[in-house]
Amino acid sequence: QTCALPISTLEEKIGRNIFDKMIRFKANLLTKNSSYPENHHHLPHTDNPFFETESLLYYVNETDGETFFFNEKPPCKKLTVKSKLHPRKGTMVFFDSSYYHASSPPRFHDARLVLNIVFKK
């Protein structure tokens, strides 16, 4: 079974033209790591140090491995978690990626596959 998700559909959902402002479009694959501690995440980051960006994450499969969002932008020495998002197949999240954010690997499912689009504000 296949599922088409054209850029125009994404643009309609978020109400913005992202194709002309796109900086990066990639797939992120994380594999199962059952020894990874619960409620931990990878190194927090922003998506571009040169200008402010927005990101769209599309969760390709049903899995675990939350995405963490933080309250702070760089420079910052102490981060506080604003929210966590559990990946659900076919859902997406749109956010200001000039704030710190981080992924975490799946602990119970074999893989976590996310399409990641970054574009200028």
Side-chain angles (χ1 to χ4, degrees), residues 26-42:
K26 67 177 184 164
N28 295 323
L29 175 67
L30 296 173
T31 56
K32 183 178 181 177
N33 184 345
S34 56
S35 65
Y36 202 81
E38 186 177 359
N39 287 318
H40 281 71
H41 50 75
H42 293 126

Side-chain angles (χ1 to χ4, degrees), residues 11-75:
E11 290 178 336
E12 285 175 26
K13 293 248 184 227
I14 64 171
R16 293 209 176 118
N17 179 331
I18 61 174
F19 187 74
D20 294 339
K21 296 180 180 185
M22 192 179 307
I23 298 168
R24 181 178 70 210
F25 191 133
K26 67 177 184 164
N28 295 323
L29 175 67
L30 296 173
T31 56
K32 183 178 181 177
N33 184 345
S34 56
S35 65
Y36 202 81
E38 186 177 359
N39 287 318
H40 281 71
H41 50 75
H42 293 126
L43 185 66
H45 65 280
T46 61
D47 285 332
N48 193 301
F50 304 110
F51 39 82
E52 295 204 350
T53 57
E54 295 174 300
S55 291
L56 188 143
L57 300 179
Y58 176 79
Y59 298 101
V60 176
N61 61 326
E62 190 71 34
T63 187
D64 58 315
E66 286 80 13
T67 303
F68 289 75
F69 300 96
F70 298 88
N71 290 303
E72 295 81 18
K73 288 184 177 185

Side-chain angles (χ1 to χ4, degrees), residues 97-113:
S97 54
S98 59
Y99 284 88
Y100 284 105
H101 53 281
S103 60
S104 63
R107 297 173 61 230
F108 306 106
H109 292 86
D110 289 334
R112 175 188 189 265
L113 181 58

Side-chain angles (χ1 to χ4, degrees), residues 68-114:
F68 289 75
F69 300 96
F70 298 88
N71 290 303
E72 295 81 18
K73 288 184 177 185
C76 181
K77 293 186 182 202
K78 181 168 173 53
L79 297 177
T80 57
V81 174
K82 179 179 183 176
S83 63
K84 295 187 294 184
L85 182 64
H86 184 84
R88 292 191 176 274
K89 181 180 180 174
T91 63
M92 61 182 129
V93 60
F94 175 69
F95 62 98
D96 181 341
S97 54
S98 59
Y99 284 88
Y100 284 105
H101 53 281
S103 60
S104 63
R107 297 173 61 230
F108 306 106
H109 292 86
D110 289 334
R112 175 188 189 265
L113 181 58
V114 178

